[in-house]
């Protein structure tokens, strides 16, 4: 007899939960961490996340007048840069499933003066609410691992990408070297959640974030998923010894 329940399950960190509940559980995590999100990113990565994102922006080759979709855009740090690159005649859509993050992004980016070419949309990456073939670039940074159905999300991204456009994924991945992996595991499981507890009084959310990284597909698996979703010339580049990886795929 086929156990239908197992096909309705997915991972929330190391825990198996129903797919319909994971979205709410992830939302609760980001509602909890939103107020201190930028500060914690700096603390957890020793500021290196800024370099990772800077490389991603350079790698995307965003140009003036383009339409850019920044999925899981969070508090808008990358959207800010894309807004400057596309200029007055371009458009950047900051899409995030979490309303708390979007509110922070709106306030921060408006204070920076970039409001005319940015659109804010609360959206699920699995069912993007846009027409076919509309965006020149799609960038998702540290968000794919939180999506329940990654394959469906990749297909949705492919649908809204213009022919000739590309998808850029920046995400935590698998360290390449054993000594680095051992240090990374120790830091992630024993130190990072304690930082979360000290700064935000929320250890469990940061423990989930650590576990979600371990459950995310490795470099080659994600590349294969992109190819299976229709992207061509998919490739990846390891950064900081594979702690993060930058994937790129095209729609021709």
């Amino acid at each position: 007899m086929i156990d239908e329940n197992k096909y309705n399950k997915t991972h929330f960190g190391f825990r198996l939960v129903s797919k319909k509940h994971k979205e709410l559980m992830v939302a609760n995590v980001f509602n909890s961490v939103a107020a201190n999100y930028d500060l914690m990113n700096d603390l957890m990565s020793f500021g290196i996340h800024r370099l990772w994102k800077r490389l991603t922006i350079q790698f995307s080759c965003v140009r003036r007048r383009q339409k850019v979709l920044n999925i899981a855009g969070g508090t808008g740090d990358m959207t800010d840069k894309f807004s400057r690159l596309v200029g007055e005649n371009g458009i950047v859509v900051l899409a995030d499933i979490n309303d708390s993050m979007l509110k922070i992004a709106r306030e921060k980016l408006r204070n920076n003066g970039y409001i005319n070419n940015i659109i804010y949309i609360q959206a699920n990456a699995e069912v993007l609410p846009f027409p076919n073939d509309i965006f020149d670039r799609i960038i998702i940074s540290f968000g794919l691992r939180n999506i329940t159905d990654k394959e469906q999300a990749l297909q949705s991204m492919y649908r809204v990408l213009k022919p000739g456009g590309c998808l850029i994924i920046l995400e935590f991945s698998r360290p390449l070297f054993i000594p680095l992996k051992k240090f990374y595991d120790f830091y992630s499981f024993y130190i990072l959640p304690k930082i979360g507890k000290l700064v935000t009084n929320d250890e469990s959310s940061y423990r989930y974030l650590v576990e979600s990284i371990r459950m995310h597909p490795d470099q080659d698996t994600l590349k294969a998923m992109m190819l299976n979703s229709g992207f061509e010339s998919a490739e990846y580049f390891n950064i900081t010894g594979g702690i993060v990886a930058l994937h790129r795929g095209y729609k021709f």
Side-chain angles (χ1 to χ4, degrees):
M1 180 180 294
I2 297 175
D3 184 2
E4 294 184 359
N5 285 331
K6 75 176 183 178
Y7 295 105
N8 294 318
K9 299 284 187 179
T10 188
H11 280 96
F12 176 78
F14 291 159
R15 296 163 52 193
L16 269 178
V17 300
S18 66
K19 289 182 177 179
K20 66 180 180 180
H21 288 148
K22 178 176 178 177
E23 184 176 318
L24 177 60
M25 295 170 76
V26 171
N28 288 337
V29 167
F30 284 93
N31 284 334
S32 175
V33 305
N36 294 290
Y37 187 76
D38 291 336
L39 171 62
M40 283 298 296
N41 280 346
D42 280 332
L43 292 175
M44 291 187 300
S45 72
F46 307 103
I48 299 175
H49 77 101
R50 296 175 181 269
L51 172 61
W52 297 337
K53 291 174 180 176
R54 190 178 306 127
L55 289 171
T56 303
I57 292 166
Q58 294 174 355
F59 204 67
S60 69
C61 298
V62 168
R63 301 189 300 274
R64 299 189 72 79
R65 301 177 179 271
Q66 286 187 328
K67 293 181 179 178
V68 175
L69 174 59
N70 188 191
I71 299 176
T75 60
D77 51 351
M78 295 184 73
T79 299
D80 188 345
K81 303 298 189 296
F82 292 132
S83 172
R84 300 167 190 266
L85 289 171
V86 302
E88 295 179 357
N89 296 313
I91 294 175
V92 181
V93 176
L94 193 167
D96 201 291
I97 198 169
N98 188 273
D99 185 57
S100 297
M101 301 293 276
L102 283 173
K103 287 178 179 177
I104 292 173
R106 285 192 194 98
E107 181 178 358
K108 183 167 74 173
L109 295 182
R110 286 173 178 170
N111 288 339
N112 288 346
Y114 284 83
I115 59 174
N116 294 329
N117 64 355
I118 300 176
I119 300 171
Y120 304 88
I121 294 181
Q122 187 173 4
N124 186 332
E126 297 174 21
V127 283
L128 291 169
F130 307 111
N132 296 346
D133 307 328
I134 187 172
F135 293 104
D136 298 286
R137 299 285 187 272
I138 299 177
I139 296 94
I140 177 168
S141 170
F142 302 121
L144 187 62
R145 71 181 188 280
N146 296 309
I147 296 173
T148 301
D149 192 330
K150 297 175 179 60
E151 290 86 354
Q152 184 174 329
L154 288 170
Q155 292 165 13
S156 184
M157 295 176 207
Y158 183 84
R159 179 183 63 79
V160 303
L161 190 64
K162 287 181 181 179
C166 74
L167 165 68
I168 306 289
I169 302 171
L170 176 65
E171 189 55 88
F172 290 103
S173 200
R174 298 292 189 274
L176 303 176
F177 312 108
I178 292 177
L180 177 61
K181 182 179 185 303
K182 288 182 177 179
F183 169 78
Y184 181 54
D185 285 344
F186 175 80
Y187 173 75
S188 298
F189 285 105
Y190 296 102
I191 305 300
L192 194 151
K194 299 302 181 185
I195 296 175
K197 182 178 181 179
L198 180 65
V199 176
T200 70
N201 198 31
D202 184 356
E203 183 174 351
S204 62
S205 290
Y206 288 95
R207 192 166 298 282
Y208 156 73
L209 293 175
V210 171
E211 293 177 359
S212 70
I213 292 169
R214 298 313 187 277
M215 299 306 299
H216 184 68
D218 64 17
Q219 290 93 322
D220 288 314
T221 302
L222 180 53
K223 176 183 174 180
M225 290 169 63
M226 294 174 69
L227 292 170
N228 290 337
S229 299
F231 292 97
E232 299 182 48
S233 300
E235 57 187 343
Y236 65 83
F237 303 88
N238 289 305
I239 308 173
T240 316
I243 289 177
V244 298
L246 197 55
H247 283 72
R248 177 170 60 186
Y250 296 86
K251 179 177 180 178
F252 294 130

